[in-house]
PDB file of all heavy atoms in Angstrom:
ATOM      1  N   VAL A  41      -3.238  26.907 -14.979  1.00 98.00           N
ATOM      2  CA  VAL A  41      -4.525  27.676 -14.884  1.00 98.00           C
ATOM      3  C   VAL A  41      -4.211  29.124 -15.189  1.00 98.00           C
ATOM      4  O   VAL A  41      -4.422  30.073 -14.356  1.00 98.00           O
ATOM      5  CB  VAL A  41      -5.195  27.414 -13.418  1.00 98.00           C
ATOM      6  CG1 VAL A  41      -6.636  27.904 -13.512  1.00 98.00           C
ATOM      7  CG2 VAL A  41      -5.102  25.977 -12.993  1.00 98.00           C
ATOM      8  N   ASN A  96       0.464  38.823  -3.476  1.00 98.00           N
ATOM      9  CA  ASN A  96       1.088  37.588  -3.944  1.00 98.00           C
ATOM     10  C   ASN A  96       0.169  36.576  -4.729  1.00 98.00           C
ATOM     11  O   ASN A  96       0.503  35.558  -5.134  1.00 98.00           O
ATOM     12  CB  ASN A  96       1.602  36.794  -2.685  1.00 98.00           C
ATOM     13  CG  ASN A  96       2.342  37.749  -1.871  1.00 98.00           C
ATOM     14  OD1 ASN A  96       3.437  38.207  -2.122  1.00 98.00           O
ATOM     15  ND2 ASN A  96       1.821  38.076  -0.645  1.00 98.00           N
ATOM     16  N   SER A  97      -1.139  36.962  -4.780  1.00 98.00           N
ATOM     17  CA  SER A  97      -2.057  36.012  -5.297  1.00 98.00           C
ATOM     18  C   SER A  97      -3.336  36.694  -5.813  1.00 98.00           C
ATOM     19  O   SER A  97      -3.538  37.969  -5.420  1.00 98.00           O
ATOM     20  CB  SER A  97      -2.560  34.966  -4.231  1.00 98.00           C
ATOM     21  OG  SER A  97      -3.342  35.635  -3.286  1.00 98.00           O
ATOM     22  N   GLY A  98      -4.262  35.899  -6.480  1.00 98.00           N
ATOM     23  CA  GLY A  98      -5.481  36.533  -6.929  1.00 98.00           C
ATOM     24  C   GLY A  98      -6.363  36.841  -5.774  1.00 98.00           C
ATOM     25  O   GLY A  98      -6.967  37.910  -5.784  1.00 98.00           O
ATOM     26  N   ALA A  99      -6.503  35.960  -4.843  1.00 98.00           N
ATOM     27  CA  ALA A  99      -7.536  36.063  -3.681  1.00 98.00           C
ATOM     28  C   ALA A  99      -7.073  37.392  -2.980  1.00 98.00           C
ATOM     29  O   ALA A  99      -7.894  38.203  -2.577  1.00 98.00           O
ATOM     30  CB  ALA A  99      -7.456  34.904  -2.750  1.00 98.00           C
ATOM     31  N   GLU A 100      -5.821  37.575  -2.799  1.00 98.00           N
ATOM     32  CA  GLU A 100      -5.333  38.699  -2.049  1.00 98.00           C
ATOM     33  C   GLU A 100      -5.615  40.089  -2.853  1.00 98.00           C
ATOM     34  O   GLU A 100      -5.837  41.135  -2.336  1.00 98.00           O
ATOM     35  CB  GLU A 100      -3.774  38.709  -1.808  1.00 98.00           C
ATOM     36  CG  GLU A 100      -3.373  37.818  -0.709  1.00 98.00           C
ATOM     37  CD  GLU A 100      -1.897  37.633  -0.666  1.00 98.00           C
ATOM     38  OE1 GLU A 100      -1.457  36.870  -1.497  1.00 98.00           O
ATOM     39  OE2 GLU A 100      -1.287  38.254   0.176  1.00 98.00           O
ATOM     40  N   LEU A 102      -8.134  40.295  -4.770  1.00 98.00           N
ATOM     41  CA  LEU A 102      -9.617  40.514  -4.463  1.00 98.00           C
ATOM     42  C   LEU A 102      -9.896  41.152  -3.076  1.00 98.00           C
ATOM     43  O   LEU A 102     -10.668  42.013  -2.914  1.00 98.00           O
ATOM     44  CB  LEU A 102     -10.320  39.253  -4.655  1.00 98.00           C
ATOM     45  CG  LEU A 102     -11.028  38.931  -5.969  1.00 98.00           C
ATOM     46  CD1 LEU A 102     -12.024  39.979  -6.363  1.00 98.00           C
ATOM     47  CD2 LEU A 102     -10.043  38.841  -7.093  1.00 98.00           C
ATOM     48  N   PHE A 131     -16.063  32.971  -9.209  1.00 98.00           N
ATOM     49  CA  PHE A 131     -14.987  32.396  -8.373  1.00 98.00           C
ATOM     50  C   PHE A 131     -13.955  33.528  -8.143  1.00 98.00           C
ATOM     51  O   PHE A 131     -13.500  34.095  -9.119  1.00 98.00           O
ATOM     52  CB  PHE A 131     -14.365  31.195  -9.029  1.00 98.00           C
ATOM     53  CG  PHE A 131     -13.237  30.621  -8.111  1.00 98.00           C
ATOM     54  CD1 PHE A 131     -13.592  29.777  -7.118  1.00 98.00           C
ATOM     55  CD2 PHE A 131     -11.956  30.941  -8.342  1.00 98.00           C
ATOM     56  CE1 PHE A 131     -12.660  29.187  -6.278  1.00 98.00           C
ATOM     57  CE2 PHE A 131     -10.937  30.513  -7.479  1.00 98.00           C
ATOM     58  CZ  PHE A 131     -11.288  29.538  -6.463  1.00 98.00           C
ATOM     59  N   HIS A 132     -13.774  33.774  -6.912  1.00 98.00           N
ATOM     60  CA  HIS A 132     -12.891  35.008  -6.561  1.00 98.00           C
ATOM     61  C   HIS A 132     -11.825  34.518  -5.661  1.00 98.00           C
ATOM     62  O   HIS A 132     -11.057  35.476  -5.266  1.00 98.00           O
ATOM     63  CB  HIS A 132     -13.745  36.171  -5.963  1.00 98.00           C
ATOM     64  CG  HIS A 132     -14.794  36.658  -6.920  1.00 98.00           C
ATOM     65  ND1 HIS A 132     -14.438  37.278  -8.143  1.00 98.00           N
ATOM     66  CD2 HIS A 132     -16.155  36.593  -6.787  1.00 98.00           C
ATOM     67  CE1 HIS A 132     -15.589  37.558  -8.730  1.00 98.00           C
ATOM     68  NE2 HIS A 132     -16.621  37.248  -7.865  1.00 98.00           N
ATOM     69  N   GLY A 133     -11.690  33.308  -5.317  1.00 98.00           N
ATOM     70  CA  GLY A 133     -10.535  32.849  -4.411  1.00 98.00           C
ATOM     71  C   GLY A 133     -11.093  32.053  -3.342  1.00 98.00           C
ATOM     72  O   GLY A 133     -12.248  31.688  -3.226  1.00 98.00           O
ATOM     73  N   ARG A 134     -10.192  31.697  -2.319  1.00 98.00           N
ATOM     74  CA  ARG A 134     -10.469  30.806  -1.319  1.00 98.00           C
ATOM     75  C   ARG A 134     -10.349  31.336   0.048  1.00 98.00           C
ATOM     76  O   ARG A 134     -10.132  30.570   1.062  1.00 98.00           O
ATOM     77  CB  ARG A 134      -9.637  29.436  -1.361  1.00 98.00           C
ATOM     78  CG  ARG A 134      -9.728  28.740  -2.720  1.00 98.00           C
ATOM     79  CD  ARG A 134     -11.130  28.079  -2.884  1.00 98.00           C
ATOM     80  NE  ARG A 134     -11.037  27.012  -3.747  1.00 98.00           N
ATOM     81  CZ  ARG A 134     -11.180  25.686  -3.447  1.00 98.00           C
ATOM     82  NH1 ARG A 134     -11.609  25.365  -2.261  1.00 98.00           N
ATOM     83  NH2 ARG A 134     -11.137  24.787  -4.389  1.00 98.00           N
ATOM     84  N   GLU A 183     -16.511  38.933 -12.885  1.00 98.00           N
ATOM     85  CA  GLU A 183     -15.485  38.487 -13.788  1.00 98.00           C
ATOM     86  C   GLU A 183     -15.971  38.790 -15.240  1.00 98.00           C
ATOM     87  O   GLU A 183     -17.102  38.274 -15.519  1.00 98.00           O
ATOM     88  CB  GLU A 183     -15.143  36.987 -13.756  1.00 98.00           C
ATOM     89  CG  GLU A 183     -14.678  36.431 -12.423  1.00 98.00           C
ATOM     90  CD  GLU A 183     -15.032  34.963 -12.209  1.00 98.00           C
ATOM     91  OE1 GLU A 183     -14.362  34.117 -12.768  1.00 98.00           O
ATOM     92  OE2 GLU A 183     -16.040  34.684 -11.585  1.00 98.00           O
ATOM     93  N   VAL A 185     -15.158  37.425 -17.856  1.00 98.00           N
ATOM     94  CA  VAL A 185     -15.355  36.052 -18.365  1.00 98.00           C
ATOM     95  C   VAL A 185     -15.161  35.094 -17.154  1.00 98.00           C
ATOM     96  O   VAL A 185     -14.106  35.030 -16.643  1.00 98.00           O
ATOM     97  CB  VAL A 185     -14.383  35.641 -19.442  1.00 98.00           C
ATOM     98  CG1 VAL A 185     -14.584  34.293 -19.998  1.00 98.00           C
ATOM     99  CG2 VAL A 185     -14.255  36.714 -20.568  1.00 98.00           C
ATOM    100  N   GLY A 187     -14.213  32.168 -15.287  1.00 97.00           N
ATOM    101  CA  GLY A 187     -13.308  31.095 -15.480  1.00 97.00           C
ATOM    102  C   GLY A 187     -13.688  29.764 -14.965  1.00 97.00           C
ATOM    103  O   GLY A 187     -14.165  28.882 -15.660  1.00 97.00           O
ATOM    104  N   GLU A 188     -13.579  29.637 -13.668  1.00 96.00           N
ATOM    105  CA  GLU A 188     -13.921  28.243 -13.168  1.00 96.00           C
ATOM    106  C   GLU A 188     -15.410  28.051 -13.190  1.00 96.00           C
ATOM    107  O   GLU A 188     -15.831  26.862 -13.143  1.00 96.00           O
ATOM    108  CB  GLU A 188     -13.258  28.180 -11.703  1.00 96.00           C
ATOM    109  CG  GLU A 188     -14.199  28.373 -10.521  1.00 96.00           C
ATOM    110  CD  GLU A 188     -14.249  27.053  -9.701  1.00 96.00           C
ATOM    111  OE1 GLU A 188     -13.029  26.580  -9.420  1.00 96.00           O
ATOM    112  OE2 GLU A 188     -15.279  26.573  -9.507  1.00 96.00           O
ATOM    113  N   ASP A 216     -12.910  41.419 -11.685  1.00 98.00           N
ATOM    114  CA  ASP A 216     -11.970  40.457 -11.275  1.00 98.00           C
ATOM    115  C   ASP A 216     -11.409  39.935 -12.623  1.00 98.00           C
ATOM    116  O   ASP A 216     -12.005  39.141 -13.368  1.00 98.00           O
ATOM    117  CB  ASP A 216     -12.661  39.261 -10.565  1.00 98.00           C
ATOM    118  CG  ASP A 216     -11.670  38.109 -10.268  1.00 98.00           C
ATOM    119  OD1 ASP A 216     -10.564  38.088 -10.761  1.00 98.00           O
ATOM    120  OD2 ASP A 216     -12.082  37.292  -9.527  1.00 98.00           O
ATOM    121  N   GLU A 217     -10.182  40.425 -12.962  1.00 98.00           N
ATOM    122  CA  GLU A 217      -9.432  39.969 -14.317  1.00 98.00           C
ATOM    123  C   GLU A 217      -8.284  39.127 -13.896  1.00 98.00           C
ATOM    124  O   GLU A 217      -7.311  39.096 -14.566  1.00 98.00           O
ATOM    125  CB  GLU A 217      -9.089  41.219 -15.121  1.00 98.00           C
ATOM    126  CG  GLU A 217     -10.294  41.923 -15.620  1.00 98.00           C
ATOM    127  CD  GLU A 217     -10.402  42.094 -17.206  1.00 98.00           C
ATOM    128  OE1 GLU A 217      -9.670  41.223 -17.766  1.00 98.00           O
ATOM    129  OE2 GLU A 217     -10.911  43.039 -17.625  1.00 98.00           O
ATOM    130  N   VAL A 218      -8.428  38.372 -12.713  1.00 98.00           N
ATOM    131  CA  VAL A 218      -7.339  37.481 -12.413  1.00 98.00           C
ATOM    132  C   VAL A 218      -7.047  36.515 -13.369  1.00 98.00           C
ATOM    133  O   VAL A 218      -5.871  36.233 -13.804  1.00 98.00           O
ATOM    134  CB  VAL A 218      -7.765  36.853 -11.055  1.00 98.00           C
ATOM    135  CG1 VAL A 218      -6.733  35.671 -10.744  1.00 98.00           C
ATOM    136  CG2 VAL A 218      -7.589  37.867  -9.793  1.00 98.00           C
ATOM    137  N   GLN A 219      -8.079  35.963 -14.076  1.00 98.00           N
ATOM    138  CA  GLN A 219      -7.945  34.958 -15.112  1.00 98.00           C
ATOM    139  C   GLN A 219      -7.950  35.540 -16.561  1.00 98.00           C
ATOM    140  O   GLN A 219      -7.193  35.121 -17.317  1.00 98.00           O
ATOM    141  CB  GLN A 219      -8.892  33.918 -14.891  1.00 98.00           C
ATOM    142  CG  GLN A 219      -8.515  32.538 -15.664  1.00 98.00           C
ATOM    143  CD  GLN A 219      -9.271  31.344 -15.248  1.00 98.00           C
ATOM    144  OE1 GLN A 219      -9.659  30.523 -16.021  1.00 98.00           O
ATOM    145  NE2 GLN A 219      -9.770  31.269 -13.935  1.00 98.00           N
ATOM    146  N   SER A 220      -8.883  36.521 -16.723  1.00 98.00           N
ATOM    147  CA  SER A 220      -9.068  37.024 -18.099  1.00 98.00           C
ATOM    148  C   SER A 220      -8.088  38.194 -18.446  1.00 98.00           C
ATOM    149  O   SER A 220      -8.074  38.620 -19.598  1.00 98.00           O
ATOM    150  CB  SER A 220     -10.493  37.582 -18.036  1.00 98.00           C
ATOM    151  OG  SER A 220     -10.740  38.697 -17.163  1.00 98.00           O
ATOM    152  N   ALA A 244      -3.920  39.023 -11.451  1.00 98.00           N
ATOM    153  CA  ALA A 244      -2.870  38.105 -10.827  1.00 98.00           C
ATOM    154  C   ALA A 244      -2.474  37.154 -11.975  1.00 98.00           C
ATOM    155  O   ALA A 244      -2.421  37.649 -13.075  1.00 98.00           O
ATOM    156  CB  ALA A 244      -3.389  37.330  -9.658  1.00 98.00           C
ATOM    157  N   LYS A 245      -2.307  35.874 -11.681  1.00 98.00           N
ATOM    158  CA  LYS A 245      -1.970  34.847 -12.622  1.00 98.00           C
ATOM    159  C   LYS A 245      -0.968  35.372 -13.735  1.00 98.00           C
ATOM    160  O   LYS A 245       0.283  35.309 -13.516  1.00 98.00           O
ATOM    161  CB  LYS A 245      -3.217  34.308 -13.295  1.00 98.00           C
ATOM    162  CG  LYS A 245      -4.015  33.452 -12.278  1.00 98.00           C
ATOM    163  CD  LYS A 245      -5.250  32.811 -12.908  1.00 98.00           C
ATOM    164  CE  LYS A 245      -6.099  32.146 -12.047  1.00 98.00           C
ATOM    165  NZ  LYS A 245      -5.831  30.746 -11.724  1.00 98.00           N
ATOM    166  N   ARG A 364     -11.486  23.859 -19.633  1.00 98.00           N
ATOM    167  CA  ARG A 364     -10.876  25.188 -20.070  1.00 98.00           C
ATOM    168  C   ARG A 364      -9.588  24.848 -20.914  1.00 98.00           C
ATOM    169  O   ARG A 364      -8.798  24.044 -20.501  1.00 98.00           O
ATOM    170  CB  ARG A 364     -10.462  26.010 -18.875  1.00 98.00           C
ATOM    171  CG  ARG A 364     -11.503  26.730 -18.220  1.00 98.00           C
ATOM    172  CD  ARG A 364     -11.174  27.455 -16.977  1.00 98.00           C
ATOM    173  NE  ARG A 364     -11.202  26.542 -15.885  1.00 98.00           N
ATOM    174  CZ  ARG A 364     -10.787  26.957 -14.609  1.00 98.00           C
ATOM    175  NH1 ARG A 364     -10.426  28.172 -14.385  1.00 98.00           N
ATOM    176  NH2 ARG A 364     -10.873  26.060 -13.645  1.00 98.00           N
TER     177      ARG A 364
HETATM  178  N1  LIG B 520     -10.304  35.213  -9.227  1.00 91.62           N
HETATM  179  C1  LIG B 520     -10.406  34.432 -10.505  1.00 91.62           C
HETATM  180  C2  LIG B 520     -11.222  34.881 -11.540  1.00 91.62           C
HETATM  181  C3  LIG B 520      -9.638  33.226 -10.466  1.00 91.62           C
HETATM  182  O1  LIG B 520      -9.724  32.535 -11.643  1.00 91.62           O
HETATM  183  C4  LIG B 520      -8.915  32.872  -9.345  1.00 91.62           C
HETATM  184  C5  LIG B 520      -8.080  31.652  -9.319  1.00 91.62           C
HETATM  185  O2  LIG B 520      -8.394  30.758  -9.993  1.00 91.62           O
HETATM  186  C6  LIG B 520      -8.891  33.749  -8.283  1.00 91.62           C
HETATM  187  C7  LIG B 520      -9.556  34.982  -8.247  1.00 91.62           C
HETATM  188  C8  LIG B 520      -8.038  33.412  -7.065  1.00 91.62           C
HETATM  189  O3  LIG B 520      -6.723  33.478  -7.363  1.00 91.62           O
HETATM  190  P1  LIG B 520      -5.598  32.809  -6.417  1.00 91.62           P
HETATM  191  O4  LIG B 520      -5.881  31.249  -6.531  1.00 91.62           O
HETATM  192  O5  LIG B 520      -4.291  33.229  -6.920  1.00 91.62           O
HETATM  193  O6  LIG B 520      -5.875  33.200  -5.038  1.00 91.62           O
END
Side-chain angles (χ1 to χ4, degrees):
V41 195
N96 312 291
S97 67
E100 285 172 281
L102 263 302
F131 183 79
H132 299 297
R134 299 293 203 114
E183 295 156 85
V185 184
E188 103 119 51
D216 178 347
E217 292 239 25
V218 165
Q219 195 164 147
S220 59
K245 291 189 185 271
R364 276 176 281 181

